[in-house]
Amino acid sequence: MQADIRIVEVGPRDGLQAEAVTLPASVRAALVDRLVAAGLRAIEVGSFVSERHVPQMAGTAEVLAAARRAPDARFIALVPNLRGVEAALAAGADEVAVFASASESFSRRNINCTVAESLARFAPIVARLDGRLPVRGYVSCAFGCPYEGDVALAAVVRLAERLVEMGCYEVSIADTIGVATPRQAREVAAAVAAAIGADRVALHFHDTRGQALANIHAGIEAGIRSFDASVAGLGGCPFAPGATGNVATEDVVYMLNGMGLSTGIDLPALIAAGAFVSGHLGKGTQSRVARAQAARSVA
Ligand code: HMG
Ligand code: MG
């Protein structure tokens, strides 16, 4: 049975890329196994980017090799260029994700090129894949930029349209620094949905200011059915100062359960996966639901 809401789990990539502790590939693969067992069916398992820029993501090929496959679970790899795609293909990724920014300053800091140059890098990626793997796109800084502040909605819509024209089956509209509030979330989601179709839009909220669940709710009201989230609320971007983790997958699933919207995810198993990775990182979970559960079990 198809779930009402699709969750793309980005913990093993977005969650771990900015952590002070670099986890070995074997632990990252064991996390992916637990996420699959909890019912997640789209998991961003890592990225093929410069190891000098993001050392936490070294060894993504080993993660893909070691994680157990489930027939209907898709392992996604984030790639910045053709070299990343070659690595993703060689490692057996099921899907790749490309990323562009709605703001020029963030594009420069994140991937050292202009927005137009980043789009120009995607053409050979799509040509190389030639339909073999699905491509997902991201629009970073869609709700605000750490360097420029406000970002024009027209720039977000135009970029989402370009990504679809270039072959992305879905575009994840990202609040990289967690500044959005529900009214803006609804406005941006509705504008992008009007341009590319609601079924091609996903929303990706970092929870820096505690607005992510409310923003997801606003997105649902705008007709969006696909959301990114990160187990234990891990996450951040090394090139977005002050940005904290993504909304915790546990908290999203709890909210959706309460709304009667199915996800196919087993919440206790997901909480256990969050406890597993938090233990390896040596820090507490950011998931409020997981914390409440832990408090109940000691009480
Ligand atoms: P560059 O310096 O402009 O280009 O980097 P370069 O071609 O000179 O490459 C620099 C180094 O990277 C070289 O190695 C290359 O060999 C190597 P060095 O000479 O330093 O030893 N290189 C690669 N290595 C592995 N895999 C590759 C690859 N390509 C080049 N595919 C580049 C350009 C894009 C590579 C670099 O800037 C980079 O890797 N940046 C990291 C970007 C990143 O991972 N950012 C975080 C993910 S995006 C994100 O978090 C936002 C998102 O969550 C949505 C949201 O919240 O907004 C998706
Ligand atoms: Mg992100």
Side-chain angles (χ1 to χ4, degrees):
M1 215 181 65
Q2 174 129 24
D4 295 324
I5 300 287
R6 174 170 119 109
I7 296 204
V8 177
E9 170 60 51
V10 296
R13 195 278 305 168
D14 205 344
L16 296 180
Q17 71 182 8
E19 285 297 327
V21 175
T22 296
L23 296 183
S26 57
V27 173
R28 289 156 61 194
L31 170 63
V32 172
D33 288 346
R34 283 167 170 76
L35 294 168
V36 171
L40 284 149
R41 287 297 171 262
I43 303 174
E44 216 171 72
V45 296
S47 60
F48 291 102
V49 300
S50 158
E51 294 183 10
R52 195 162 48 84
H53 288 86
V54 191
Q56 294 90 336
M57 288 293 104
T60 291
E62 285 89 328
V63 176
L64 276 158
R68 269 194 302 276
R69 302 286 174 144
D72 54 345
R74 269 151 69 174
F75 289 169
I76 310 169
L78 188 81
V79 298
N81 53 20
L82 198 51
R83 178 164 159 198
V85 168
E86 295 298 352
L89 282 170
D94 301 309
E95 179 173 327
V96 300
V98 297
F99 50 110
S101 170
S103 97
E104 287 293 344
S105 315
F106 185 73
S107 185
R108 178 61 67 193
R109 300 286 216 300
N110 194 26
I111 47 176
N112 194 25
C113 65
T114 66
V115 176
E117 283 164 351
S118 71
L119 288 174
R121 284 179 191 173
F122 300 156
I125 290 180
V126 174
R128 171 68 179 91
L129 289 172
D130 197 22
R132 249 172 303 178
L133 301 185
V135 184
R136 190 168 195 257
Y138 280 103
V139 175
S140 286
C141 295
F143 300 85
C145 167
Y147 308 105
E148 293 178 19
D150 290 348
V151 164
L153 179 53
V156 176
V157 171
R158 210 174 321 115
L159 193 50
E161 286 174 327
R162 287 290 295 130
L163 287 167
V164 169
E165 283 160 17
M166 296 181 93
C168 293
Y169 76 90
E170 178 174 271
V171 181
S172 182
I173 307 298
D175 186 9
T176 314
I177 52 171
V179 285
T181 54
R183 189 165 82 175
Q184 187 192 17
R186 192 177 305 107
E187 263 168 30
V188 172
V192 179
I196 65 172
D199 56 341
R200 290 190 185 278
V201 181
L203 295 172
H204 175 113
F205 292 111
H206 286 261
D207 200 23
T208 314
R209 292 169 182 76
Q211 306 293 302
L213 281 180
N215 291 338
I216 289 175
H217 192 275
I220 291 170
E221 285 183 343
I224 309 305
R225 292 292 175 265
S226 180
F227 297 92
D228 300 352
S230 177
V231 67
L234 298 169
C237 176
F239 311 98
T244 60
N246 295 81
V247 63
T249 316
E250 298 91 319
D251 298 2
V252 178
V253 171
Y254 180 86
M255 180 180 83
L256 295 172
N257 284 350
M259 293 170 72
L261 294 170
S262 66
T263 58
I265 296 166
D266 174 0
L267 186 54
L270 180 63
I271 291 174
F276 169 81
V277 69
S278 301
H280 278 279
L281 290 169
K283 62 188 241 184
T285 179
Q286 295 300 310
S287 161
R288 306 286 291 264
V289 168
R291 273 192 236 150
Q293 176 68 37
R296 256 177 39 160
S297 45
V298 279

